Amino acid sequence: MARARWLFGSLRDAGSLRFWRRLAVRLLILAIVLPVFLTVLYSVVPPISTLMIGRYAQLLWVDRQWRPLEDISPNLVRSVITSEDSGFCTHGGVEWEALQKQVDVLLNEGESPRGASTLTMQTAKNLFLWGDRSYVRKALEIPLAMLLDAVLTKRRIMEIYLNIAEWGEGIFGAEAAAQAWYGVPAKDLTREQAARLATALPNPLGRNPAKPSSGHRRLAATNLSRVNKAGPIFGCVLDK
């Protein structure tokens, strides 16, 4: 009797192990296939970010009004590229040299990596990942950013980014931000307004583009100066 129970238990354990292995394999396949499917879908369908999904799930207010890139001021495009990712038009989704420098900082000095996140990586994070900083999330951003760059055009990546970026509590996208902070549509943003919005992105909950602090005003002024000196770094998104 004891032997029969042992044999039954062994078979049950083996069956349980096979179940968990099959589940793990299926989850892995899903984790690989789903981003590919969604990226292709997002080439034509306006997506929402994981942060927006989280707010919807908590029944929190969300303001996002999708606008095609033609209805978003070129001033904002220039300021965002200059502020966040001046190599946007030339890299393949990841700035490997900048990333290597941050890895060296981590290994040699033990400091947490800062920067090295391209607009494409930020878009990948907003579409597929969570907001809290971690090395795991950063590692996942890399293949996802390469996927976005391989499937989508630069214009589409920028269009998606500008429509899902957070610009305040419950405020997502350029149109909602322009209306909330300045009372104008996104296509009518001035150079100064665009610079203040772009330099608010690293801290959207702590920086008020309509009433910027002295530090925020300095960042915006620096952004304007850099845009004027930037040269032809916007060609993959803007015609001129």
Side-chain angles (χ1 to χ4, degrees):
M1 191 67 162
R3 186 174 182 179
R5 285 198 299 268
W6 174 83
L7 180 59
F8 177 76
S10 297
L11 291 173
R12 184 179 59 189
D13 291 344
S16 178
L17 183 59
R18 284 195 298 271
F19 167 80
W20 288 112
R21 284 177 176 173
R22 286 197 299 268
L23 180 61
V25 170
R26 289 172 182 173
L27 289 175
L28 179 60
I29 293 173
L30 180 64
I32 295 172
V33 172
L34 186 59
V36 176
F37 170 77
L38 289 176
T39 298
V40 174
L41 182 66
Y42 292 160
S43 66
V44 292
V45 174
I48 61 176
S49 69
T50 53
L51 185 54
M52 292 166 66
I53 293 173
R55 290 185 65 85
Y56 283 131
Q58 299 175 70
L59 302 180
L60 296 175
W61 176 75
V62 171
D63 184 10
R64 197 284 289 271
Q65 306 161 49
W66 179 275
R67 291 293 182 271
L69 197 61
E70 303 82 57
D71 290 340
I72 298 175
S73 172
N75 292 324
L76 185 61
V77 174
R78 295 188 186 98
S79 283
V80 167
I81 290 178
T82 302
S83 177
E84 296 290 297
D85 184 4
S86 60
F88 177 70
C89 285
T90 58
H91 62 63
V94 179
E95 279 279 18
W96 294 106
E97 184 176 347
L99 191 62
Q100 181 61 53
K101 289 180 180 178
Q102 293 304 314
V103 172
D104 291 341
V105 168
L106 172 64
L107 295 178
N108 298 327
E109 302 177 21
E111 296 182 6
S112 299
R114 296 186 301 272
S117 184
T118 66
L119 282 170
T120 313
M121 291 172 69
Q122 293 179 49
T123 304
K125 178 203 72 177
N126 291 341
L127 287 177
F128 302 118
L129 303 174
W130 58 94
D132 294 339
R133 292 183 179 181
S134 71
Y135 299 122
V136 173
R137 195 208 72 189
K138 182 63 68 175
L140 290 173
E141 283 180 20
I142 296 172
L144 289 171
M146 295 172 67
L147 171 64
L148 291 181
D149 194 81
V151 175
L152 305 177
T153 65
K154 294 287 188 178
R155 280 183 60 86
R156 183 59 175 176
I157 293 171
M158 177 58 65
E159 185 175 63
I160 291 174
Y161 178 83
L162 291 178
N163 275 284
I164 63 175
E166 184 182 25
W167 261 298
E169 185 70 33
I171 301 171
F172 295 90
E175 182 67 22
Q179 295 284 357
W181 296 117
Y182 300 118
V184 299
K187 64 181 180 180
D188 292 338
L189 287 167
T190 67
R191 293 174 68 250
E192 183 179 72
Q193 290 169 342
R196 290 181 176 182
L197 284 174
T199 50
L201 284 168
N203 186 13
L205 301 182
R207 293 177 183 172
N208 184 330
K211 298 179 180 179
S213 66
S214 57
H216 190 176
R217 285 196 297 270
R218 285 194 297 271
L219 289 173
T222 299
N223 178 268
L224 283 172
S225 177
R226 290 178 60 200
V227 168
N228 291 334
K229 301 174 183 177
I233 67 170
F234 315 112
C236 66
V237 181
L238 300 175
D239 295 331
K240 58 181 180 178

